[in-house]
Amino acid sequence: RACPAGGRGAMAQARVLLTEEPAPQAVPATDLPLRACEVALNTGPDCSSGPATTGFCTSKYLPPEWHQNNSGLYHKAFTGCEQAEQCRAEAKLLAEHAAATAQCAQQHSTATLGQRLKDTHFWKVELQKEIEDLDAETSLLAAQKLRLERALDATEAPYAIATDNLRCRERRQHPDLVSDEVERELLKETELVRNIQELLKRTLMQARNQMRLNRDHKEVCEKDWSDKVEAYNIDDKCGRYSNQSTNIQFHPSSVKLEESASTPETWAKFSHDNIHRAEREKLASMNLQALIDNILRDVSEDLRMQCAAVNGAFDKRCEELEDAKQKIEHHLKKILKEIGDQEANIAALKQAIKEKEAPIKVAQTRLYDRSFRPNVELCRDEAQFRLISEVEELTESIGSLKKKLLESEQCLRNLEGTRMNLEKEIAVKTNSIFIDKQKCMAHRTRYPVVFKLAGYH
């Protein structure tokens, strides 16, 4: 009966242990020590002896040890449950923290990608603006270059006209073959045209070089813009990824940073430098366009002013030639009249000399006949002296007339020479007027207008 009572107590204690958690003990649970099996000695009056007890070991645990073992198991189970619960709580907190951290990191990354998209879009817009500006400036500069080419082609006509005028005026005859104001202005015109052609050629080369620089910097900006567009599309695609995206996967090697990768500072500086260089070339292009405008305006004005100076010199020279020709023609008329008068005078002198032949014949015949007077009748009387004086007077008169006739004939020859010189001079002046007016000035009517010299046509 003692045993059942003890059994009921143990069962009650077990029910308590099964329904209530034991209080943690200060002594940690340990396994029961192993006991060595020993044969019990049958000694004493209460000990049983005989075959029934032979061979049973006495190495059994004591009840306190059994309870201690159970308590240790209970404590270990309690501690394991408590640790598991704590681990679960920590795991839940860790999972929640990891989820929150991952979500926050993802949101921050998405926001960073959004800011990066804004930065990329900003530089992309700036680059696109520079590309459009450079393209527009290149087009405007190409139009200016075309004007330069047209202006350069237009200078061929003034140069050809000036050189042709100089060659034509070389066919002037002496004494009109002079280095006059017209020739000096024509030489100035040819020198001006040559200098203008050299200036236009240098400016044209400068325009071509500037257009090449514009295109080169435009290509650099286009390459940068293209890279920005591609990077923008990539970042935009990355910004649209979410945890529910189906096209995401593991890329462990992508965490590594490329050694050649740029920094935000160098990235921004690269585009800034490209835009700065583009702005510099655009400004140079604008300045060159203004320079070309000024050059073409000055060139056209200088050529037209020189053309007006040459035309003025031609007009003045033609007026001088016309005036000289008219004066020579006036003198020629007087010479011709004088020649006619002199011819009449010579004819009169010859007639006068001829008319003196009869009187001198009469006087000489009288003297001859009177020389046959006989003896004393051959007297040197007054009649004789008068006849001798008459012959002398007639002889002297005839001599004077002949001398005057010679002088008149020489004067006539001089007049004829002067007439020939005047007629030749008139022909020379006529030829000079024909060259200057009909050849040179008529050719100069083909001189290009200001708009053509400025490269507009």
Side-chain angles (χ1 to χ4, degrees), residues 157-176:
Y159 187 76
I161 290 172
T163 53
D164 181 72
N165 290 162
L166 289 171
R167 284 194 297 267
C168 286
R169 298 189 91 243
E170 289 296 325
R171 296 197 293 268
R172 291 176 298 167
Q173 300 173 356
H174 296 283
D176 281 0

Side-chain angles (χ1 to χ4, degrees), residues 230-293:
E230 186 175 357
Y232 184 89
N233 293 333
I234 292 173
D235 285 345
D236 182 63
K237 178 182 177 183
C238 292
R240 296 179 187 276
Y241 283 143
S242 67
N243 295 332
Q244 290 75 33
S245 299
T246 59
N247 54 345
I248 57 176
Q249 55 184 336
F250 290 107
H251 296 280
S253 60
S254 63
V255 181
K256 296 181 180 179
L257 291 176
E258 296 290 339
E259 294 182 359
S260 60
S262 62
T263 63
E265 292 76 15
T266 58
W267 174 81
K269 186 176 184 300
F270 180 77
S271 296
H272 178 271
D273 292 343
N274 289 336
I275 292 175
H276 177 70
R277 286 191 292 267
E279 287 284 346
R280 184 180 60 195
E281 296 305 328
K282 184 174 67 174
L283 181 61
S285 180
M286 294 171 64
N287 293 334
L288 182 58
Q289 288 183 55
L291 177 64
I292 291 173
D293 279 332

Side-chain angles (χ1 to χ4, degrees), residues 431-444:
N431 179 64
S432 298
I433 292 172
F434 174 77
I435 290 174
D436 285 351
K437 185 172 287 186
Q438 302 299 324
K439 290 289 186 180
C440 295
M441 295 188 70
H443 195 190
R444 295 190 69 81

Side-chain angles (χ1 to χ4, degrees), residues 23 25 32 50 73 81 101 106 143 182 184 197 216 231 330 367 376 391-392 424 429 439 450:
Q25 299 177 1
L32 292 175
L73 291 175
C81 291
T101 303
Q106 190 177 85
V182 177
R184 288 192 291 273
Q197 287 177 341
D216 291 344
H330 176 70
L367 286 172
V376 72
V391 171
E392 291 177 352
K424 182 179 179 181
K429 294 293 184 290
K439 290 289 186 180
V450 175

Side-chain angles (χ1 to χ4, degrees), residues 94-156:
L94 182 61
E96 291 176 354
H97 178 72
T101 303
Q103 184 179 4
C104 182
Q106 190 177 85
Q107 290 176 353
H108 183 67
S109 298
T110 303
T112 306
L113 284 172
Q115 183 61 42
R116 183 64 174 180
L117 285 172
K118 292 181 181 179
D119 296 340
T120 305
H121 179 72
F122 169 78
W123 288 114
K124 184 181 69 171
V125 171
E126 292 296 321
L127 287 168
Q128 185 173 1
K129 181 178 178 296
E130 290 302 322
I131 291 169
E132 293 173 355
D133 291 345
L134 276 177
D135 188 59
E137 286 298 324
T138 304
S139 299
L140 293 175
L141 191 58
Q144 294 293 78
K145 184 177 77 71
L146 181 60
R147 284 185 60 197
L148 284 173
E149 292 172 349
R150 289 174 177 173
L152 183 60
D153 293 338
T155 57
E156 294 296 331

Side-chain angles (χ1 to χ4, degrees), residues 200-446:
L200 292 179
K201 288 178 181 178
R202 291 196 303 270
T203 309
L204 187 60
M205 184 62 66
Q206 188 176 357
R208 288 170 179 165
N209 292 335
Q210 186 61 50
M211 288 178 64
R212 179 180 55 80
L213 291 174
N214 287 353
R215 292 192 181 99
D216 291 344
H217 284 82
K218 179 189 172 186
E219 289 179 0
V220 171
C221 290
E222 285 177 343
K223 180 64 170 60
D224 194 4
W225 178 84
S226 178
D227 293 343
K228 291 288 187 296
V229 170
E230 186 175 357
Y232 184 89
N233 293 333
I234 292 173
D235 285 345
D236 182 63
K237 178 182 177 183
C238 292
R240 296 179 187 276
Y241 283 143
S242 67
N243 295 332
Q244 290 75 33
S245 299
T246 59
N247 54 345
I248 57 176
Q249 55 184 336
F250 290 107
H251 296 280
S253 60
S254 63
V255 181
K256 296 181 180 179
L257 291 176
E258 296 290 339
E259 294 182 359
S260 60
S262 62
T263 63
E265 292 76 15
T266 58
W267 174 81
K269 186 176 184 300
F270 180 77
S271 296
H272 178 271
D273 292 343
N274 289 336
I275 292 175
H276 177 70
R277 286 191 292 267
E279 287 284 346
R280 184 180 60 195
E281 296 305 328
K282 184 174 67 174
L283 181 61
S285 180
M286 294 171 64
N287 293 334
L288 182 58
Q289 288 183 55
L291 177 64
I292 291 173
D293 279 332
N294 294 333
I295 288 176
L296 291 177
R297 183 180 63 251
D298 295 342
V299 162
S300 59
E301 290 178 357
D302 291 344
L303 286 175
R304 289 307 303 180
M305 288 177 62
Q306 185 60 33
C307 177
V310 174
N311 291 340
F314 265 117
D315 291 335
K316 183 178 179 181
R317 184 60 178 170
C318 287
E319 289 178 2
E320 292 176 351
L321 290 172
E322 291 284 356
D323 183 65
K325 180 184 175 185
Q326 290 176 2
K327 289 180 179 179
I328 291 173
E329 288 175 345
H330 176 70
H331 286 290
L332 179 61
K333 290 179 181 179
K334 295 173 70 174
I335 289 294
L336 291 175
K337 183 179 180 300
E338 191 64 32
I339 287 174
D341 294 341
Q342 195 65 25
E343 288 176 346
N345 180 45
I346 290 172
L349 287 173
K350 288 180 179 180
Q351 184 64 31
I353 292 171
K354 186 176 181 181
E355 288 176 355
K356 297 299 183 289
E357 289 180 356
I360 197 170
K361 286 179 182 180
V362 172
Q364 288 179 355
T365 301
R366 285 175 178 176
L367 286 172
Y368 178 75
D369 288 344
R370 292 191 82 215
S371 65
F372 290 101
R373 288 178 299 172
N375 300 320
V376 72
E377 292 299 326
L378 188 62
C379 179
R380 291 183 287 183
D381 53 7
E382 185 65 28
Q384 186 70 20
F385 285 117
R386 181 66 259 174
L387 287 171
I388 292 173
S389 177
E390 181 182 3
V391 171
E392 291 177 352
E393 290 176 359
L394 288 173
T395 302
E396 183 179 358
S397 178
I398 291 171
S400 298
L401 288 173
K402 288 183 176 180
K403 182 178 179 182
K404 183 56 69 177
L405 178 61
L406 291 175
E407 291 178 358
S408 298
E409 289 177 344
Q410 183 61 40
C411 182
L412 180 61
R413 286 192 293 273
N414 293 338
L415 288 174
E416 289 291 344
T418 302
R419 178 184 65 82
M420 292 177 63
N421 290 334
L422 290 177
E423 289 176 347
K424 182 179 179 181
E425 193 65 25
I426 290 173
V428 170
K429 294 293 184 290
T430 302
N431 179 64
S432 298
I433 292 172
F434 174 77
I435 290 174
D436 285 351
K437 185 172 287 186
Q438 302 299 324
K439 290 289 186 180
C440 295
M441 295 188 70
H443 195 190
R444 295 190 69 81
T445 58
R446 302 175 185 175

